[in-house]
Every structure is written in structure tokens, then in C-alpha cells.
Amino acid sequence: SCSESSPAGSNCATTSSDAAAAATATATAASSSLLLLSSDSTPSLLLISQMLLLSCLAGTPVAQAAQAESLASMIDESEDEDEDDEDDSDSDSDSDDEDEDDDDDNDDDEIFLSPQHGTRHDFLDRMNCHVEQTPDARVPPRYDESTWLFLRAAYVAVVGREESTIQPNMFEPAVHVDHYVGYYRNMGRGVYAASDIPKGTLVWDSRYTARFSTAEQYRRFLLSVPYVLACDLLIWCYAMRKPEDEGGAELCCDLDSGSLFNTADWTEQVNLVEEKTEDGTVVKFRPVRAARDIHIGEQLLMDYGDFDYDPGWGILGM
């Protein structure tokens, strides 16, 4: 599969030596990008992710899967240590606060984000996601494979390996056609066909869709990544009905280029459809196929109404 930055019509086939060189280049990019983003995130989480991501990218497929497991385990341990340290410092600060008078009446109105508190709108506001920026003020983060790998590892660290809904091997593609990421007026980033795609072709599947059964898991995930990434996740993630729980809901984030698929303005524009069974139930891994022949350069467009369940945010307290 092409990378997001591949130009239209590029050849995406690689030899083993090419793959090794690409892994090295990706590892270097991962190190640089995560360091640049570190100011808004948990230092220990970023540092461990950074170090182990480099080793993951350099290994064989078998070693990569094992190292990805190790990454999640070590991040879990690091977060536990950080929480213990925070508890100690909180106890000290609580005793100090008892000796001080708080004359600021506005403090009661301030929203503090935590895994237990904060709605979606609270997070958007406190992370300044709504702030209007000049073109040079905030460059949208580049979502190459190293960024997606970082987000997948952060998700596994939050929910645990047993509850994780993403595929254990984090190095296989979720987008199965030649594609590239471009910009479209009024839509922002979008995914475009880098070659012709015949009708019925498998375009994407949900192997890297992170599912959150509670709002606390989702909040913890947002707080574990840099704000510049969390702002995008707050916009891209969506609620779905929970099949096994009538009236229930879950929050989902596609931790791959599928997050960049835009919704069509009208039905005639839709060229991607989600495969379902005859009775309308969702197929495992939610395969998305070309609804018609798609030509090179066309933007890949879905209908969010096919799966988005907006009341789910309220059901889960977000």
C-alpha cells in the first residue's frame, strides 16, 4: 500500500532492502516528530514510545509484534509509576492548600480535565482546539506510519492488551489501495486514489479501529497523547451503537488513514460503502469497498450517516 504522501501513480512495490531503508527512515522521522510534540504530553509516555518505536521498526515481523507487546507493557508500568508520584505530590499540595485562603471566585468555574471529568466540548475548549489560527501558527501534524504506530501503542497502553480491539500486528496496512493524502477546500485533509480502483475492490478495513467502552478510557487516551493529536482525535473519533448492548454505545477512533476519509456532501458523491450482511448487520473488520469505479485523483468519500451514532456521546457521558 502507498504511504499517505505518495504522489498519484507512484509505484509502491519495495524490495527487502528498500523496506529496511524505509524502516530506518521512518524510525528517524518518528524520533524527530515525537520530540517536537513532547511539550504537550506526558514525558515518560513519549520517551518510552519513542525508544521502543525505533526498535520495533527495525525488527522482523515476528520481532515487531513481540516488541509492540513490550511497548504497551512498559508504557503501562510507566503510567502506574507516574500516577503514584502524582498521588504523593497531590497529598503534599493538599496540605499546603489547607493553609491558604483562595480569594479567586473564578476558580470554581474553571474546567480541569482528567480521566474522570470533562465532556468532549470541555476537551476541545481546554486544549484550544477551536482557536482560530493563522496558516503559519499551527501546521497540521503529518500522519505518517510512525504517528499511527504511536497512537496505536498509546491506545493499547490505556485499555490493556486483553481489551484492545486493534489487530496485534500493528504493521499491516488498513488501506488496501494506492492512495495519497491531499487537501480540499472546506474539507481539509482527505484521501485520494493514486490509481484507478474497480468497483467492489476492498479499500479499507477496521483492523486499527480503537474502541472505548467507557468515557474514562477515552479521556485517558486523549490525555496520553500530545494536544495537537488529541484535537484531531476529538474531531475524527465517532460514536457507534454497541451491537451486543441494545441502547448502548461505544466510542471509536480509526488509528490509520481511514480517519482522513471525508463524508460526501450529497449521496451522488459517495464512492465507498461499508459491507454488511443481508440482514444489515456489520461484517467483522467492517470492510469498506468501492461503490463504483473510482478514477485516479478522485477523493474517496463515505457517508458518515451509515455508522455514526451521535447520541452515543451523551450516553457515555462525553
Side-chain angles (χ1 to χ4, degrees):
S1 174
C2 290
S3 69
E4 294 176 3
S5 58
S6 298
S10 63
N11 183 0
C12 299
T14 58
T15 63
S16 58
S17 60
D18 291 334
T24 303
T26 305
T28 303
S31 178
S32 301
S33 62
L34 291 176
L35 279 173
L36 288 173
L37 295 169
S38 63
S39 59
D40 286 328
S41 188
T42 308
S44 60
L45 176 64
L46 277 171
L47 181 59
I48 293 174
S49 299
Q50 204 175 312
M51 293 171 61
L52 290 177
L53 181 56
L54 300 184
S55 64
C56 282
L57 291 172
T60 63
V62 174
Q64 288 167 349
Q67 289 167 338
E69 291 266 330
S70 174
L71 169 59
S73 176
M74 291 187 68
I75 294 176
D76 272 331
E77 293 174 4
S78 173
E79 285 193 327
D80 290 341
E81 291 174 2
D82 289 342
E83 287 175 4
D84 291 341
D85 292 340
E86 287 174 5
D87 289 341
D88 292 340
S89 62
D90 286 345
S91 299
D92 294 339
S93 62
D94 288 343
S95 61
D96 291 340
D97 289 343
E98 290 175 0
D99 299 331
E100 298 177 0
D101 292 328
D102 185 8
D103 296 326
D104 189 353
D105 294 335
N106 292 326
D107 284 350
D108 292 337
D109 299 328
E110 190 166 359
I111 300 168
F112 292 95
L113 304 179
S114 74
Q116 292 76 33
H117 300 95
T119 65
R120 183 189 184 195
H121 294 294
D122 292 337
F123 273 78
L124 286 166
D125 289 338
R126 291 293 293 163
M127 291 181 171
N128 293 321
C129 301
H130 291 311
V131 174
E132 189 171 338
Q133 305 276 358
T134 61
D136 295 333
R138 178 188 170 194
V139 178
R142 174 182 170 81
Y143 283 85
D144 56 17
E145 193 60 22
S146 63
T147 312
W148 295 123
L149 283 168
F150 169 74
L151 290 173
R152 292 167 199 163
Y155 164 70
V156 175
V158 167
V159 303
R161 285 178 296 278
E162 291 185 359
E163 196 169 337
S164 169
T165 56
I166 66 175
Q167 182 171 288
N169 183 351
M170 300 184 189
F171 296 85
E172 295 180 349
V175 179
H176 303 281
V177 296
D178 293 347
H179 69 285
Y180 63 96
V181 173
Y183 289 81
Y184 186 80
R185 62 185 183 279
N186 302 326
M187 283 189 178
R189 283 164 287 193
V191 182
Y192 293 79
S195 61
D196 291 341
I197 304 172
K199 178 180 178 180
T201 300
L202 176 64
V203 174
W204 176 85
D205 62 49
S206 64
R207 68 185 61 207
Y208 299 130
T209 296
R211 299 177 184 272
F212 301 90
S213 57
T214 67
E216 180 174 340
Q217 289 178 338
Y218 181 62
R219 296 188 192 104
R220 192 176 296 278
F221 176 57
L222 294 173
L223 292 169
S224 72
V225 302
Y227 279 13
V228 69
L229 300 182
C231 284
D232 281 338
L233 291 168
L234 283 161
I235 297 169
W236 293 342
C237 298
Y238 50 93
M240 288 187 68
R241 297 179 186 274
K242 206 168 185 178
E244 65 275 14
D245 180 12
E246 186 175 351
E250 58 187 359
L251 300 179
C252 303
C253 303
D254 301 326
L255 303 183
D256 55 67
S257 300
S259 275
L260 304 177
F261 290 143
N262 286 315
T263 190
D265 290 329
W266 54 85
T267 305
E268 291 73 15
Q269 287 182 311
V270 174
N271 53 25
L272 298 180
V273 291
E274 188 172 315
E275 184 179 330
K276 295 183 179 180
T277 61
E278 291 183 1
D279 62 0
T281 56
V282 176
V283 178
K284 184 179 180 181
F285 284 137
R286 294 172 53 204
V288 170
R289 298 184 180 276
R292 57 169 173 79
D293 291 340
I294 301 173
H295 301 294
I296 184 172
E298 275 194 72
Q299 184 176 181
L300 305 181
L301 296 171
M302 308 180 70
D303 180 357
Y304 288 173
D306 287 344
F307 55 86
D308 189 29
Y309 179 51
D310 196 58
W313 293 95
I315 292 173
L316 290 172
M318 280 299 296

